[in-house]
Amino acid sequence: MPDSVLFFFEVLVGGLLSGTMYSLVALGFVLIYKASAVFNFAQGAMVFFAVLSFVGFMELGLNFWLALPVTIVLMICVGIVTERLVLRPLVGQSEDTLLMATIGLAFVFEGVAQLAWGVNVRGLDLGIADQPIDWLANNADILVSQLDLAAGLVAGIMVIVLSLIFSKTKVGRGLRAVADDNAAALSIGIPLRQILVVVWATAGVVALVAGMMWGARSGVQFALVGVALKAMPVLIIGGFTSVPGVIVGGLIVGVAEKMAEVYVGPFVGGGIEGWLPYVLAVFFLLVRPEGLFGEKIIRRV
């Protein structure tokens, strides 16, 4: 097989794996938006808070397999407390009010994380080497990082599992009903508050997994808060209310930015990877603002 074709496949696979990582971050936004129609600006800060707490627990002497469940419990508690103390008192308020509440919540997460664990950059070793997979390198001459493949698999599995939960279970049906009409859902006995608690707790766990994957690649640092910005184009392309759309949107963004950076970047000075996803997002806002799988919103005025 020609070297150019092999290199193309390397770039393609790298883009797909990056896309699944973006999908995992965007999934936290979708969970909250489906349940409350609020864009959770605090999701990026939750990612930072979760993984920094995980590393902090290990620094206190807990091993990996003990620190992981402790941090999961912590993030579930964070989700429950957030819903009860911040979101529940604001039920019935305007979307702008809820949005501002999540922005304030983001600063709280950032401040508490750095107050509790410090501001130093930490490394995170998941026991998976960031080096090419020997079998692919020796037999197919394709260089794919073991860490990237593992992160992509974890992200893909979590997205698929949550998709099945929200499409096949009672909680999922309740979530869809709440997303369609809160008042109607309450009128037929669906426990709105319990649904919101489950969603926020799940978003906390998703934030932890996303933080671990990104932290292992680039270090546990404040810059992880900015990972949320990468999820914006994914949400716009896939749709704010669609879990499958998150998968497709993430893959589109991952492949597009990698291909453009490698094949177009050298001719324009590079840096395409940083801004191309947002150009794609603007295009979709102009052509299909609800995204590929989002629900079309009709407003009467």
Side-chain angles (χ1 to χ4, degrees), residues 22-129:
Y22 296 148
S23 298
L24 183 57
V25 178
L27 183 60
F29 289 96
V30 171
L31 295 177
I32 302 300
Y33 193 85
K34 282 178 70 69
S36 56
V38 175
F39 184 80
N40 179 26
F41 260 101
Q43 189 66 28
M46 288 176 68
V47 170
F48 173 61
F49 176 84
V51 69
L52 187 58
S53 298
F54 173 70
V55 174
F57 286 134
M58 288 197 294
E59 291 177 348
L60 292 177
L62 301 182
N63 62 37
F64 180 93
W65 297 110
L66 187 55
L68 181 59
V70 169
T71 312
I72 289 175
V73 172
L74 172 65
M75 293 311 298
I76 290 174
C77 293
V78 166
I80 293 173
V81 170
T82 299
E83 190 279 328
R84 290 192 174 183
L85 298 184
V86 180
L87 275 299
R88 185 173 297 184
L90 296 177
V91 170
Q93 300 296 318
S94 67
E95 294 180 4
D96 293 339
T97 300
L98 294 171
L99 179 64
M100 293 302 297
T102 64
I103 293 175
L105 191 61
F107 287 105
V108 172
F109 281 133
E110 294 167 12
V112 171
Q114 294 178 84
L115 179 64
W117 306 110
V119 297
N120 296 329
V121 178
R122 273 92 159 185
L124 178 57
D125 183 9
L126 298 179
I128 305 170

Side-chain angles (χ1 to χ4, degrees), residues 164-186:
L164 293 175
I165 289 175
F166 288 119
S167 62
K168 302 295 184 181
T169 65
K170 183 178 180 180
V171 172
R173 291 191 292 271
L175 173 62
R176 295 199 302 273
V178 169
D180 289 338
D181 192 321
N182 287 356
L186 283 171

Side-chain angles (χ1 to χ4, degrees), residues 221-244:
Q221 54 187 310
F222 183 76
L224 287 176
V225 175
V227 170
L229 296 177
K230 277 288 190 177
M232 290 284 290
V234 175
L235 291 166
I236 292 171
I237 293 172
F240 278 80
T241 59
S242 173
V243 175

